[in-house]
Amino acid sequence: MLDTVSPTSDTTHRQGGNGAARPLYFFDSRGTEAMRNTVFSLQVHPRLPEAIDRLEELASNFWFSWNPAARWLFSRLDESLWRRTDNNPKLFLRCVDQGILERAADDEAFVSAYRKVMIEFDAYVEQGPQPYKPGALGQDDLVAYFCAEYGFHESFPIYSGGLGILAGDHCKTASDMRLPFVAVGLLYRQGYFNQHIDRHGQQIPEYIHIDPEHTPLRVVTDDAGEPVHVTCPFPDRSIAIRVWRADVGRVPILLLDTDVGENVEADRRITHVLYGGDRSLRLQQEAVLGIGGVRALRAAGFAPTVWHINEGHAAFMIIERVRELTVQGMPFAVALEAVAADSVFTTHTPVAAGHDAFSADLIAKHFHSHLPELGITEQELLELGRNSGEEDFNMTHLALNGTRAVNGVSRIHGRVSSELCGSAWPDVPPLENPVGYVTNGIHVPSFMRQAWVDLLDQHLGPGWHQKMLDRTSMEQILDIPDDRFWGTNQRVKSEMLHVLRLRLARQHTRNGLSEAHIHRLSQLVHPDDPNVLTIGFARRFATYKRATLLFSDLRWLEQIVCNEDRPVLFIFAGKAHPADEPGPWVMREIQRISSQPPFLGKVLLLEGYDAGLSRSLTSGVDIWLNTPIYPFEASGTSGMKAAINGTVNLSVLDGWWAEGYDGENGWGIPPSIDHEDAAERDRQDAVALYEILQDEVLPLYYERDPKLGYSPKWVEKCKRSMASVLPRFNSQRVMHDYARLYYGPAAKQGRAVVAEDHRLAKELADWKARVRARWPGVQLHSVDPGPEVIDFDEDARIEVDVTLNGLRPEDVRVECVLHRRLCSELTVPVQGYADDRRPQNGLTYIGDEMAAVWPFEPQEGQHGDVCRYRLKYRPPWAGALSYEIRAVPRHPALSHTYELGLMRWL
């Protein structure tokens, strides 16, 4: 059974299994500790009857987490136990009554349903990975994905929030698409905390010990059947690491665990708590993840051709992969080129303070023993992770220096990240540096409620999943009869209200509230009458997410919620990191306001936020509210989960919603133009929120046709929400984008760089060293700037001389960047964006502005160290144009044109 412990208590022998004795203590009337008796532990495992004996196999693959028929089998056996085990099938099968299993094995209907699920499961897992042609991934390719947390299912809480859920979705989608994929993470024995909230809104964390026997984990073994152990070098010692495996459909997940007997107690606790402890412990966790992760993959027999660092926590993998080459005699610079060529880095953080950083002293001490094998000095090591002008070692900058493909997670976040990471390419304008973006999406089978799946099966056909990326096909959602759509919406909402009512009763009973008061708090939570406008806000309680923006003007809010003809219910849920005091304050503030008479029963704060509660809320509320400070929402995905279930978004136009909002599928709060004055920014955003709620949301929702019992215009907006978001923000599109823009090119570049005994890696390392040394002396001189006025379809010519400072003409690319202007001062914005920001036929996007980038041709007859470059071009537009001329280093094997970050302007 799960064992509840504090994050600092000893868990080494807590289970007391196999008959181990545990003394039970009490305190007598004088406060003296005395032993009362001894309790012996005995676990009796039920035996699965032969007719249903593969339930254990089904419970051992996270495929169950996105297959409702599989989950139904367990809940059908004992629905109460299924809830009490937090929908954990492995734990459920350890606890279920033997008689229930025997009766199920004799139940023809149950056995028939079981067989259908197993046929589907076998057909799924037996189809192994295959080449992915759109991404040019071949039979021998393998993507290794590293992340500090994974959210596969609420029964396995090794995630804290959006990053983990996104990583889980990425693995599930790789499985669905049969991509060659393996993932690496840490096994947190206490995971992330369970949450209680007391009557004052104070968060009370509760850490749950994760017993691997009660999860779909198994120990990775070698060819001889022995458990695989790897080591990770620490100062003065090596850490032993056990490697566990979890299967997510077809995708293997390797989870690293330091809680093994070979380690001293302090080292056994390294992987106990997600995001716990001080900076030293965080460094140790990230070293285990990055260095131990590479070694675990090797020991388990995996040979990745693409390495994906999902957030900077895993960036130490770069150091380990470089070390693997330098110990074979390869120079450090060459090894770094070889490693970076097939490495991809995704950043999820929109603020510099959110990037992990460690003191130089801590890094120097921890990695001192690595220096001889790497063949570099301590200062050279520190420079790998130093941002310009900073002393700390920054994990994001280590990732930037050790990869050649970098992306943010939405269009806005891509721009923000190009600014934040711009010092890695100091001469390059941020919008043109290598940082691109892939906007996040969600794994639809994990988050769309079965009622909606059934409705789409009926009206779009059972094969709609295969056409999910086709926007035209998804437009058929608009043709579903209103009454069918609204009926499904109400059934899903009733289920959510039922869950909500049970949770509220349990929460407030524990907190000592009277039954009458609980009834008053639940006055608008009626599963049998789900006609109250219900607005949900559930996510991590970080200050930038502004959960309390709704309470900026309580008098105005009171006007909104106190209309008996148009009742409104606001539901809040979420967690805050225990060490992040502003977050817990947010919860206390919500609770304080919800206790005031005007808002009693109309504003609710719900405890126990996890992936399961999130699924219930996103699918069940009418409005999904999101009010982050612009531009701090990197992407966000909860609104996507809401939209695919017919819920309507009301959000600041940031992150994904800035791309998803089309004016008809929800409501958008324009970012405040006053970014400097935080109070004025919040005031403007609050006013916009109140006006949208009061003038648009409530009137539309309650504009009900008496004959129909609902608002046809509201149903139309719900349909539009689903139809517009489903094809664009699903994880199939995300994986396709990663494969096409990042994984495929990285695999190709990696193969090229290591071919012929790393010939190209050596060439690139030498060439870059030469260019960096000589670039300060490169100069551009205008010879013929070209005409000032020409006719459309007429050619223009420009000539410049370049002082090469010892470089060859082919080492330098001279470019003309042509901009379209409305007049001499105003730029014409063009809607759209090029994900990889690379010129195509001369035309490219720089931000949202289209530009033309043309290369000059070097002319023969170089005079000394000066080479003339000439461009003959024909402008693609009429009107007022402007152009700039610049030079950049050029090599045909660069992963990105501006990879070196060097540029010289005329």
Side-chain angles (χ1 to χ4, degrees):
M1 296 293 290
L2 294 177
D3 193 6
T4 302
V5 297
S6 73
T8 56
S9 59
D10 181 11
T11 62
T12 306
H13 305 292
R14 182 162 290 102
Q15 294 302 303
N18 300 320
R22 291 191 299 176
L24 186 65
Y25 294 92
F26 74 100
F27 291 87
D28 61 22
S29 59
R30 295 171 296 177
T32 303
E33 186 180 282
M35 188 169 68
R36 188 170 68 189
N37 61 0
T38 299
V39 176
F40 292 87
S41 175
L42 176 65
Q43 174 72 48
V44 179
H45 290 169
R47 180 182 52 80
L48 286 169
E50 184 178 356
I52 54 173
D53 60 359
R54 292 185 65 198
L55 282 176
E56 180 72 25
E57 183 181 347
L58 194 63
S60 299
N61 191 311
F62 278 106
W63 180 78
F64 77 80
S65 70
W66 71 95
N67 188 283
R71 296 194 301 276
W72 179 88
L73 291 176
F74 299 104
S75 65
R76 175 67 177 80
L77 288 171
D78 187 336
E79 187 173 359
S80 175
L81 179 63
W82 179 243
R83 287 198 307 269
R84 286 185 288 129
T85 56
D86 292 327
N87 302 343
N88 180 341
K90 289 284 285 189
L91 182 57
F92 176 89
L93 291 178
R94 298 292 184 274
C95 303
V96 67
D97 185 77
Q98 184 68 39
I100 290 176
L101 295 175
E102 300 291 350
R103 287 191 294 274
D106 293 332
D107 184 334
E108 291 184 8
F110 183 86
V111 172
S112 176
Y114 159 80
R115 288 172 178 167
K116 288 180 181 178
V117 170
M118 296 313 302
I119 290 171
E120 184 182 356
F121 176 71
D122 289 340
Y124 184 93
V125 298
E126 287 172 3
Q127 292 182 314
Q130 62 181 1
Y132 188 68
K133 293 182 180 179
L137 290 173
Q139 190 68 45
D140 297 328
D141 282 318
L142 176 65
V143 178
Y145 181 83
F146 282 60
C147 191
E149 56 174 292
Y150 291 90
F152 303 123
H153 188 254
E154 60 269 21
S155 63
F156 192 45
I158 62 168
Y159 64 95
S160 70
L163 178 67
I165 298 298
L166 186 77
D169 281 7
H170 207 63
C171 296
K172 293 175 183 179
T173 307
S175 174
D176 288 344
M177 295 174 66
R178 298 176 62 188
L179 263 64
F181 200 89
V182 60
V184 179
L186 300 179
L187 173 58
Y188 303 100
R189 290 300 191 103
Q190 293 177 14
Y192 204 55
F193 65 92
N194 281 0
Q195 178 201 51
H196 293 305
I197 299 176
D198 70 15
R199 64 193 304 168
H200 305 294
Q202 181 63 46
Q203 174 178 269
I204 303 170
E206 178 186 65
Y207 288 83
I208 305 297
H209 182 72
I210 297 175
D211 185 342
E213 288 190 6
H214 299 156
T215 71
L217 295 176
R218 68 180 189 273
V219 173
V220 176
T221 56
D222 58 22
D223 293 339
E226 295 298 319
V228 168
H229 279 66
V230 297
T231 61
C232 182
F234 274 32
D236 304 322
R237 66 196 189 280
S238 285
I239 303 299
I241 302 170
R242 179 190 288 118
V243 184
W244 299 87
R245 171 171 172 158
D247 289 318
V248 177
R250 306 177 178 102
V251 167
I253 315 295
L254 303 186
L255 297 176
L256 313 181
D257 177 18
T258 64
D259 191 2
V260 295
E262 298 95 312
N263 293 330
V264 299
E265 181 60 27
D267 292 340
R268 297 181 72 162
R269 302 171 68 80
I270 290 173
T271 55
H272 271 201
V273 180
L274 172 61
Y275 301 145
D278 57 14
R279 300 309 299 165
S280 178
L281 178 59
R282 180 68 72 89
L283 172 60
Q284 292 173 350
Q285 287 186 337
E286 296 186 7
V288 169
L289 175 60
I291 297 171
V294 174
R295 297 184 178 190
L297 285 169
R298 306 297 193 202
F302 293 99
T305 58
V306 178
W307 301 74
H308 187 172
I309 303 172
N310 192 44
E311 195 53 282
H313 310 114
F316 287 135
M317 71 139 76
I318 294 164
I319 291 177
E320 172 62 14
R321 292 188 61 213
V322 168
R323 187 201 64 82
E324 290 179 325
L325 297 174
T326 56
V327 295
Q328 300 175 37
M330 185 178 293
F332 179 85
V334 178
L336 186 61
E337 285 298 328
V339 166
D342 60 10
S343 298
V344 177
F345 171 50
T346 299
T347 175
H348 295 259
T349 309
V351 291
H355 294 163
D356 258 0
F358 303 100
S359 71
D361 290 343
L362 194 60
I363 292 292
K365 177 182 178 182
H366 191 92
F367 287 96
H368 180 74
S369 63
H370 290 66
L371 298 178
E373 291 187 325
L374 291 170
I376 58 175
T377 66
E378 179 182 295
Q379 191 62 30
E380 288 173 319
L381 172 67
L382 293 175
E383 286 302 317
L384 281 175
R386 274 192 173 142
N387 193 1
S388 177
E390 297 179 1
E391 286 299 314
D392 283 349
F393 187 95
N394 187 296
M395 295 297 285
T396 293
H397 279 267
L398 172 60
L400 296 175
N401 283 319
T403 62
R404 294 292 176 260
V406 184
N407 70 282
V409 291
S410 71
R411 182 174 62 193
I412 291 174
H413 182 243
R415 297 179 195 172
V416 170
S417 296
S418 67
E419 294 276 359
L420 285 176
C421 302
S423 63
W425 307 277
D427 295 345
V428 180
L431 289 178
E432 295 183 84
N433 70 29
V435 180
Y437 77 90
V438 173
T439 301
N440 286 342
I442 58 169
H443 186 243
V444 172
S446 292
F447 295 102
M448 180 177 280
R449 304 299 279 192
Q450 187 61 36
W452 288 113
V453 174
D454 294 341
L455 185 69
L456 296 189
D457 282 348
Q458 295 167 15
H459 291 275
L460 276 64
W464 66 268
H465 309 80
Q466 309 302 321
K467 300 180 288 184
M468 198 159 47
L469 301 185
D470 183 354
R471 300 186 189 185
T472 301
S473 295
M474 294 303 102
E475 288 285 324
Q476 296 177 53
I477 292 171
L478 303 177
D479 299 329
I480 296 175
D482 285 358
D483 60 335
R484 296 294 310 279
F485 196 94
W486 179 249
T488 303
N489 176 289
Q490 293 299 86
R491 285 197 302 277
V492 173
K493 185 176 180 181
S494 292
E495 293 172 2
M496 182 273 295
L497 292 172
H498 177 71
V499 170
L500 184 61
R501 197 172 183 90
L502 291 175
R503 282 176 169 262
L504 284 170
R506 183 172 64 230
Q507 173 180 335
H508 293 305
T509 299
R510 190 195 67 249
N511 286 336
L513 273 63
S514 69
E515 186 176 340
H517 193 69
I518 295 174
H519 180 75
R520 178 170 291 191
L521 290 174
S522 306
Q523 60 184 301
L524 298 181
V525 185
H526 289 298
D528 296 331
D529 184 20
N531 290 305
V532 173
L533 176 65
T534 304
I535 300 176
F537 183 107
R539 52 185 52 84
R540 185 164 53 92
F541 280 124
T543 51
Y544 80 87
K545 293 182 180 288
R546 294 192 299 184
T548 57
L549 185 71
L550 181 68
F551 309 125
S552 300
D553 187 332
L554 292 181
R555 290 186 179 179
W556 198 341
L557 181 61
E558 185 176 345
Q559 294 176 22
I560 293 172
V561 303
C562 289
N563 186 335
E564 292 185 2
D565 295 329
R566 301 193 307 192
V568 185
L569 173 64
F570 288 94
I571 303 170
F572 287 86
K575 288 180 178 177
H577 192 286
D580 177 24
E581 174 48 37
W585 174 87
V586 170
M587 284 183 275
R588 293 194 297 271
E589 182 67 5
I590 294 172
Q591 183 64 29
R592 183 185 69 82
I593 292 171
S594 70
S595 300
Q596 296 178 12
F599 308 112
L600 197 66
K602 298 164 186 173
V603 176
L604 301 175
L605 176 62
L606 202 60
E607 70 178 11
Y609 183 64
D610 63 9
L613 179 57
S614 173
R615 283 197 307 273
S616 183
L617 291 176
T618 52
S619 62
V621 299
D622 300 299
I623 288 285
W624 194 250
L625 182 63
N626 190 26
T627 51
I629 298 172
Y630 177 92
F632 293 162
E633 181 83 308
S635 173
T637 56
S638 62
M640 304 173 192
K641 299 163 191 170
I644 68 165
N645 286 284
T647 296
V648 180
N649 279 275
L650 195 177
S651 174
V652 170
L653 292 172
D654 194 10
W656 82 277
W657 188 233
E659 301 167 51
Y661 176 61
D662 65 10
E664 302 294 335
N665 61 350
W667 286 274
I669 300 174
S672 171
I673 61 174
D674 200 335
H675 295 296
E676 302 301 324
D677 187 336
E680 178 59 22
R681 175 202 62 211
D682 290 349
R683 189 195 68 79
Q684 291 180 20
D685 289 353
V687 167
L689 173 60
Y690 292 141
E691 289 177 342
I692 291 172
L693 287 172
Q694 195 169 49
D695 300 342
E696 300 184 43
V697 175
L698 270 79
L700 188 66
Y701 184 82
Y702 285 107
E703 189 182 308
R704 292 174 173 166
D705 185 316
K707 295 180 180 179
L708 300 175
Y710 58 84
S711 166
K713 292 182 179 179
W714 182 267
V715 174
E716 181 182 352
K717 190 169 284 287
C718 294
K719 288 182 184 179
R720 185 68 199 170
S721 176
M722 181 185 288
S724 61
V725 170
L726 185 56
R728 295 182 59 197
F729 298 99
N730 65 77
S731 54
Q732 285 186 30
R733 189 271 307 158
V734 174
M735 187 61 79
H736 173 76
D737 286 352
Y738 272 107
R740 180 174 59 91
L741 299 173
Y742 295 99
Y743 295 160
K748 179 180 179 181
Q749 183 74 350
R751 285 190 290 269
V753 164
V754 303
E756 302 176 39
D757 191 25
H758 297 84
R759 179 188 62 80
L760 200 52
K762 298 171 184 175
E763 180 182 321
L764 277 172
D766 292 343
W767 177 83
K768 286 183 178 181
R770 181 165 57 88
V771 168
R772 288 190 176 108
R774 297 188 177 277
W775 194 256
V778 173
Q779 300 292 330
L780 280 70
H781 313 278
S782 177
V783 176
D784 179 3
E788 293 187 3
V789 179
I790 60 174
D791 291 331
F792 188 70
D793 282 342
E794 183 180 349
D795 291 335
R797 191 176 74 171
I798 306 173
E799 292 186 354
V800 298
D801 281 346
V802 179
T803 301
L804 296 172
N805 193 31
L807 297 176
R808 299 168 300 179
E810 58 267 30
D811 292 332
V812 177
R813 169 186 165 105
V814 179
E815 298 177 338
C816 173
V817 185
L818 184 71
H819 303 273
R820 191 178 186 186
R821 318 289 281 191
L822 182 61
C823 61
S824 60
E825 298 297 332
L826 300 179
T827 302
V828 177
V830 179
Q831 295 301 315
Y833 197 80
D835 290 349
D836 58 4
R837 301 183 181 182
R838 299 183 186 183
Q840 299 177 11
N841 299 321
L843 298 180
T844 188
Y845 287 100
I846 300 177
D848 277 345
E849 178 197 352
M850 182 168 281
V853 180
W854 286 299
F856 286 63
E857 291 293 332
Q859 304 301 299
E860 296 183 1
Q862 181 176 340
H863 299 286
D865 205 30
V866 177
C867 178
R868 180 158 296 178
Y869 289 73
R870 180 179 298 149
L871 170 65
K872 182 180 178 181
Y873 72 100
R874 182 172 296 180
W877 313 294
L881 311 177
S882 65
Y883 63 90
E884 301 156 313
I885 299 170
R886 64 196 186 189
V888 296
R890 178 190 175 278
H891 192 288
L894 290 177
S895 298
H896 190 280
T897 305
Y898 309 128
E899 180 180 312
L900 268 71
L902 301 175
M903 193 171 279
R904 184 75 74 236
W905 298 81
L906 180 62

